[in-house]
Amino acid sequence: MSITVVGSIAYDTVKTPFGERERMLGGAAVHFALAASFFEPVRVVGPVGDDFAEADLQMLRDRGIDTSDIERLAGKTFFWRGEYGWDLNSRETLDTQLGVFEGFQPKLSVQSRASDVLFLANIQPELQLGVREQLPGARFVALDSMNLWIDIARDALVQAIELCDCVILNDAELRQLTARPSLVSAAREVLSWKPAGEERPGPSVIVAKQGEYGATLITRKSFFSLPAFPLETVIDPTGAGDTFAGGLIGYVAAHPHHELSDELLRRAMAHATALASFNVEEFGTERVARLTAAEIATRVQELREMTHFSDAPMPTRK
């Protein structure tokens, strides 16, 4: 099995109450790939500028990530500067320089088009549609997006969602997308969508990211929720959502399609939650880049223990 991710590769400058980093490696495709690479081979599709360090490409390769479809172009790599206050759920964007990402037209090699799992990271919905059409045989396709595209390109985003199996958004974005008042009703709405005139079933898995409160999984038959892993110190949440997606999709990709069940998806949620918790412990990719599979397994076990309770009859008043 293999995974192709299409999305941004960036340099981020981030300030939080706990410190600051200048031009650290980031971008949705990078955070996703680092997490997913624990489970399956990953191919990254995206552009970088002539200022992109070879050492950063080598770090990805050292993790077994295929960088063949990372296109180096004349110009600057996508750059983002942001600052977090004590409420790490919100941030202020101070500067965004699209650089070579502004004219991004995904170019997928034969190998990337042959992947059976595809993750469409947060890019323009029209580009997501174009990439999806290049992988008609993918057995599992997931998509992320944001409020900007819901505002200015909702029709194209809905079309892209209808061609996916899994939609990963935060809870506010799901409500905005559907104009539904609650998370559950919004998810049920998206699960009812399917492409017009086609036999494809449309999305069957909705994952709502809820920041420090965890994440929720909703399918046509079940509902499952996990809290975020409790941490004493959170340094930098940048990339946590993409790391979560990488853990989720990577775990799914590591299993045959016929095994895709609610139980497997719940285990995928646990691994995604564990990986995201490591991401926020340090700046950018610093923690996940040196993470081990044993550390992930230990944290998943801790998460299982803290969310487990035994069945017992309800005491009744006498």
Side-chain angles (χ1 to χ4, degrees):
M1 305 299 176
S2 60
I3 306 166
T4 289
V5 54
V6 182
S8 62
I9 304 161
Y11 282 127
D12 297 333
T13 291
V14 174
K15 183 178 181 180
T16 80
F18 310 102
E20 185 173 2
R21 291 290 188 277
E22 294 282 338
R23 292 183 63 80
M24 61 185 182
L25 180 62
V30 168
H31 287 289
F32 175 93
L34 284 171
S37 66
F38 281 98
F39 306 98
E40 285 295 311
V42 184
R43 295 183 172 89
V44 176
V45 179
V48 298
D50 46 25
D51 61 339
F52 197 79
E54 180 63 28
D56 290 327
L57 282 176
Q58 190 58 49
M59 186 274 285
L60 297 176
R61 296 184 192 114
D62 290 343
R63 289 294 300 270
I65 296 168
D66 191 323
T67 63
S68 303
D69 283 0
I70 294 180
E71 186 177 11
R72 190 181 289 273
L73 303 171
K76 297 293 185 181
T77 301
F78 178 38
F79 172 77
W80 177 80
R81 180 189 297 273
E83 183 172 347
Y84 296 85
W86 288 105
D87 178 6
L88 294 174
N89 286 310
S90 61
R91 66 189 185 189
E92 180 182 3
T93 294
L94 303 177
D95 188 17
T96 301
Q97 299 173 24
L98 294 177
V100 296
F101 196 63
E102 185 171 11
F104 178 40
Q105 294 295 325
K107 297 178 181 178
L108 280 70
S109 64
V110 172
Q111 291 79 9
S112 287
R113 292 197 300 270
S115 291
D116 58 355
V117 176
L118 171 65
F119 181 64
L120 300 166
N122 177 23
I123 57 176
Q124 293 167 292
E126 292 85 356
L127 296 182
Q128 292 176 323
L129 277 167
V131 173
R132 178 67 180 95
E133 291 170 358
Q134 295 182 58
L135 282 84
R139 69 175 176 89
F140 192 81
V141 182
L143 171 150
D144 187 13
S145 193
M146 65 183 298
N147 54 354
L148 172 65
W149 307 127
I150 298 171
D151 282 336
I152 69 173
R154 184 182 182 280
D155 289 347
L157 177 58
V158 170
Q159 283 184 275
I161 287 172
E162 290 173 344
L163 297 175
C164 292
D165 302 287
C166 175
V167 178
I168 304 174
L169 296 172
N170 69 42
D171 50 354
E173 290 163 348
L174 273 169
R175 292 194 298 270
Q176 178 188 358
L177 176 66
T178 60
R180 297 280 184 164
S182 74
L183 170 60
V184 175
S185 62
R188 297 297 185 205
E189 170 71 18
V190 177
L191 288 169
S192 72
W193 295 352
K194 57 183 179 179
E198 297 190 33
E199 295 183 1
R200 301 188 196 189
S204 59
V205 179
I206 308 298
V207 176
K209 298 174 290 185
Q210 297 168 288
E212 66 176 325
Y213 302 109
T216 296
L217 166 75
I218 302 173
T219 70
R220 295 191 180 98
K221 297 180 179 179
S222 68
F223 181 98
F224 178 69
S225 189
L226 273 181
F229 189 87
L231 298 169
E232 289 190 17
T233 303
V234 176
I235 299 297
D236 174 24
T238 308
D242 298 304
T243 301
F244 177 93
L248 181 82
I249 305 307
Y251 191 88
V252 169
H255 295 79
H257 188 55
H258 68 267
E259 293 183 9
L260 185 60
S261 63
D262 284 343
E263 182 57 35
L264 185 145
L265 289 169
R266 293 180 182 208
R267 295 197 302 269
M269 288 277 287
H271 285 77
T273 298
L275 274 153
S277 73
F278 284 112
N279 179 92
V280 304
E281 288 184 330
E282 296 182 24
F283 280 94
T285 62
E286 292 173 356
R287 183 67 179 96
V288 177
R290 68 172 196 278
L291 191 59
T292 66
E295 290 176 305
I296 298 170
T298 296
R299 189 156 289 185
V300 168
Q301 176 65 15
E302 292 171 342
L303 186 64
R304 189 190 71 81
E305 291 173 356
M306 72 178 61
T307 56
H308 172 78
F309 61 92
S310 59
D311 188 20
M314 179 178 171
T316 58
R317 182 177 177 180
K318 296 180 180 179

